[in-house]
Amino acid sequence: MAVNSPNSPRQKMINLMYLVFIAMLALNVSSEVLNGFELVEESLRRSVESTSSRNKLIFGELETYHHINQEKTQRWYDLAEETRVKSDTLFNYIQNLKLRIVKKADGKDGDPTKLKHPDDLNASEDVMLLSGKNEGKKLKSEIDGYREYISSLIEDPSKKTIIESNLSTIVSTKGQKDKMTWEQSMFKHMPLAASVTLLTKLQNDIRSAEGEALATLLKNIDVSDFRVNRIKAYVIPESKTVMRGSPYTANIVLSAEDSTQLPRIFVNGQYLSDDARGLYRVGTGSSGSFTVKGFIEMSRGDGSTAKHDFSSEYFVVEPSATIAPVLMNVLYSGISNDIRIAVPGVANQNISANISAGSLTPKGDGLWATNPPASAIGTEVVITVTSKTGGPPMTGKFRVRRLPDPTPYLEYRDDKGNLVQFKRGRLSKSSLAGISELKAAIDDGILNIPFPVVRFETLTFDESLGTAITEASDGKNFSSSQKERIRQLNRGKVMFIRKIVVRDPGGTAEREVSTLDITIN
């Protein structure tokens, strides 16, 4: 039997295998991390494709303006062409490095989009640091030169700062602590998946920087000469419909503007002062249809004058407002009444209203709520509506009524499970025995308003004694004595629910309502 002494060949082999196993654990990169790199890589590739498409559109627009007038756009076009060439050159160089690294790890058929050995720790270092050509140092130099060139084209300080940060080759804090160069911090002992992702991120930053540079060059083209192929005059009113007494207001503008000179505007035969800045304002003394017509004069660069006609129409209407209760043609005291208020040509948020008795509260979308006080019953209340855009106030009058008496009823479910409201007539003893409370409400197809039941009593007759028997309720519920009396009723007997007292909704006032009679079926 072998003995594992410290110096035996068997033990030496075990120790060596243990050291190899520990080293493998130290070098192993978790599959979750590698999968994460693959997700980021895929997202970056989509971003590169999207940004490249946007850059092509911008460059195409630059080509169009260059074709229209080469003399005045040549400078910006040349810079755009140079930017595109520099960007493509650096982008393709990085793509070549990425392909070399992947083939080093996965073989001659290696594909950067389909990594076979994403955890490989040697390929990146071999290509970028140990191949003798020092591609990492060359890449840093190329990025530095590209960053300086693009920054010189960007005018916006904040955008310039972002580009310089994205394309920075300053060594990270950890890299500085480990005394590494930029290329060492990027590619030394770096898993294949991480290296590919880092290079794709650089490609994405290059396309983004290229796009900002092209957009800046496009903006520098003189808009008055090349970005406008039609100049048209417009009348832009605050509203085409105004109430009599409110002013009609409109902006008279050209669709292209030169900040160095103001156009001369003539409206309905009158010159519009420069101080008005194109704002035309006129009173409305009568209702009807009116025309705003005229022309705008603009000086050309050669001293001649361009004339642009305009015409529009607006309508003046008599002051009116729609003030209507939603459910009825009167207002009831004791409940919240919904009212719809609208003024033609005026947005709901520009309407204000008040009522002569009680309060009026907006609910949104043209709805308002009011609850007239009991003191207003039998009188008329006035609702006054005003528009924040101007015009005289508008009013509506409504009579305030007391809520009609509710109808008492019993509620139960029939044999099919349908909810039934019993208000009078014949009812089976089993259905009556299963009802626990009395209810009352106004339910006439327009109003649907419940009234809390305060108390009631039942009246039955004992024929053997010739006496009437009354039992008091337990609030809105049938009391135990009332339920016992119901169990004693025979078919054909009558029970009256009377002296029913209810409380007005939202108040303390009580009233007595009509009797409910039941014949046992």
Side-chain angles (χ1 to χ4, degrees):
M1 184 174 182
V3 178
N4 291 332
S5 68
N7 298 318
S8 70
R10 176 182 176 86
Q11 186 60 42
K12 288 180 179 180
M13 179 61 69
I14 291 174
N15 292 341
L16 179 61
M17 291 178 65
Y18 180 77
L19 290 174
V20 172
F21 176 70
I22 293 298
M24 290 176 66
L25 286 177
L27 293 175
N28 184 51
V29 181
S30 71
S31 60
E32 289 83 2
V33 173
L34 295 174
N35 290 337
F37 278 120
E38 290 180 7
L39 291 174
V40 174
E41 163 70 9
E42 183 178 351
S43 176
L44 286 171
R45 287 201 305 269
R46 288 197 300 267
S47 178
V48 168
E49 292 173 1
S50 175
T51 308
S52 297
S53 298
R54 171 179 173 270
N55 293 350
K56 288 179 181 178
L57 291 175
I58 297 175
F59 190 82
E61 199 169 351
L62 278 160
E63 283 184 317
T64 300
Y65 298 133
H66 181 250
H67 178 73
I68 294 173
N69 192 319
Q70 294 186 13
E71 181 180 351
K72 290 192 175 181
T73 60
Q74 191 64 50
R75 176 191 173 193
W76 312 117
Y77 179 78
D78 289 343
L79 286 172
E81 181 66 35
E82 185 179 7
T83 298
R84 188 172 67 162
V85 170
K86 286 181 178 292
S87 299
D88 288 348
T89 300
L90 182 54
F91 184 97
N92 294 334
Y93 172 56
I94 294 175
Q95 185 66 23
N96 178 262
L97 290 175
K98 193 160 46 173
L99 187 60
R100 287 172 56 188
I101 293 172
V102 172
K103 287 185 176 182
K104 188 76 175 178
D106 294 346
K108 63 179 181 178
D109 296 327
D111 184 353
T113 65
K114 299 176 182 177
L115 301 181
K116 297 177 182 178
H117 303 94
D119 57 346
D120 185 287
L121 296 172
N122 299 316
S124 301
E125 187 171 352
D126 285 346
V127 172
M128 301 304 295
L129 302 176
L130 304 178
S131 63
K133 294 183 179 181
N134 203 341
E135 295 289 358
K137 187 175 182 180
K138 180 181 176 182
L139 176 61
K140 177 182 181 299
S141 177
E142 294 292 333
I143 293 173
D144 289 341
Y146 180 79
R147 183 184 65 248
E148 292 174 7
Y149 171 79
I150 291 293
S151 296
S152 68
L153 301 178
I154 305 299
E155 297 174 352
D156 189 319
S158 59
K159 292 181 179 179
K160 180 179 293 191
T161 300
I162 293 173
I163 290 173
E164 291 177 346
S165 175
N166 289 341
L167 296 173
S168 172
T169 56
I170 298 175
V171 182
S172 65
T173 303
K174 185 178 183 305
Q176 292 175 3
K177 183 178 180 181
D178 296 337
K179 297 182 179 180
M180 287 184 172
T181 63
W182 175 82
E183 54 269 26
Q184 288 173 334
S185 67
M186 292 283 285
F187 303 106
K188 190 173 184 179
H189 302 313
M190 190 65 67
L192 177 64
S195 297
V196 170
T197 301
L198 286 171
L199 290 172
T200 304
K201 191 262 183 187
L202 276 174
Q203 289 177 310
N204 184 59
D205 292 337
I206 289 167
R207 288 303 186 212
S208 297
E210 177 191 12
E212 289 296 343
L214 292 177
T216 300
L217 295 173
L218 180 62
K219 186 178 68 173
N220 287 336
I221 294 178
D222 190 350
V223 65
S224 64
D225 285 338
F226 309 109
R227 300 295 295 280
V228 177
N229 56 19
R230 184 176 66 182
I231 298 178
K232 190 174 180 181
Y234 290 97
V235 180
I236 306 176
E238 289 185 356
S239 175
K240 280 197 170 186
T241 303
V242 296
M243 290 182 294
R244 179 175 56 81
S246 300
Y248 168 80
T249 304
N251 279 292
I252 313 298
V253 299
L254 280 175
S255 59
E257 181 178 329
D258 184 352
S259 61
T260 63
Q261 60 176 330
L262 292 174
R264 293 175 295 279
I265 304 173
F266 296 84
V267 186
N268 294 341
Q270 300 293 322
Y271 173 66
L272 188 62
S273 170
D274 291 344
D275 295 336
R277 295 283 175 175
L279 183 65
Y280 175 64
R281 187 181 181 91
V282 65
T284 54
S286 59
S287 58
S289 174
F290 299 89
T291 299
V292 179
K293 188 175 181 180
F295 59 90
I296 299 177
E297 287 184 347
M298 194 77 174
S299 297
R300 296 192 179 99
D302 59 3
S304 62
T305 300
K307 183 179 177 181
H308 305 279
D309 296 326
F310 62 83
S311 181
S312 184
E313 189 177 21
Y314 66 95
F315 308 93
V316 179
V317 298
E318 290 296 325
S320 63
T322 300
I323 310 171
V326 173
L327 297 177
M328 62 206 85
N329 57 5
V330 295
L331 301 179
Y332 286 93
S333 175
I335 62 168
S336 177
N337 299 260
D338 281 349
I339 294 176
R340 188 171 297 282
I341 298 178
V343 178
V346 180
N348 290 329
Q349 61 266 28
N350 290 328
I351 296 173
S352 59
N354 60 73
I355 190 170
S356 59
S359 62
L360 191 60
T361 305
K363 297 175 64 176
D365 196 26
L367 280 179
W368 297 66
T370 182
N371 186 348
S375 59
I377 294 175
T379 67
E380 280 189 338
V381 294
V382 178
I383 294 178
T384 304
V385 178
T386 56
S387 169
K388 295 178 182 178
T389 60
M394 296 147 281
T395 60
K397 295 181 179 180
F398 299 92
R399 181 164 292 278
V400 180
R401 290 181 56 183
R402 179 177 180 264
L403 279 171
D405 286 341
T407 301
Y409 66 93
L410 299 172
E411 197 170 69
Y412 70 97
R413 292 191 181 276
D414 61 16
D415 296 337
K416 296 181 179 180
N418 299 318
L419 200 62
V420 178
Q421 289 186 356
F422 177 83
K423 297 180 180 179
R424 66 184 327 107
R426 306 182 72 87
L427 182 64
S428 67
K429 188 161 93 171
S430 61
S431 297
L432 178 59
I435 298 171
S436 61
E437 65 177 292
L438 178 66
K439 297 183 177 182
I442 301 173
D443 187 5
D444 56 4
I446 299 177
L447 298 175
N448 185 9
I449 304 170
F451 282 66
V453 174
V454 178
R455 60 184 176 276
F456 63 91
E457 70 177 27
T458 57
L459 172 65
T460 55
F461 296 94
D462 188 330
E463 293 182 356
S464 61
L465 298 176
T467 59
I469 302 172
T470 61
E471 304 284 354
S473 70
D474 183 9
K476 66 178 180 178
N477 298 314
F478 286 94
S479 64
S480 58
S481 59
Q482 287 176 329
K483 291 180 179 179
E484 178 62 29
R485 182 61 54 188
I486 290 172
R487 284 192 286 269
Q488 296 174 7
L489 292 176
N490 295 321
R491 184 175 181 179
K493 297 299 181 181
V494 178
M495 183 177 77
F496 296 93
I497 299 179
R498 63 175 195 168
K499 294 186 179 180
I500 303 169
V501 177
V502 299
R503 182 179 297 112
D504 287 349
T508 58
E510 297 180 354
R511 66 174 85 176
E512 186 173 323
V513 297
S514 60
T515 298
L516 189 158
D517 60 273
I518 306 167
T519 301
I520 302 300
N521 193 8

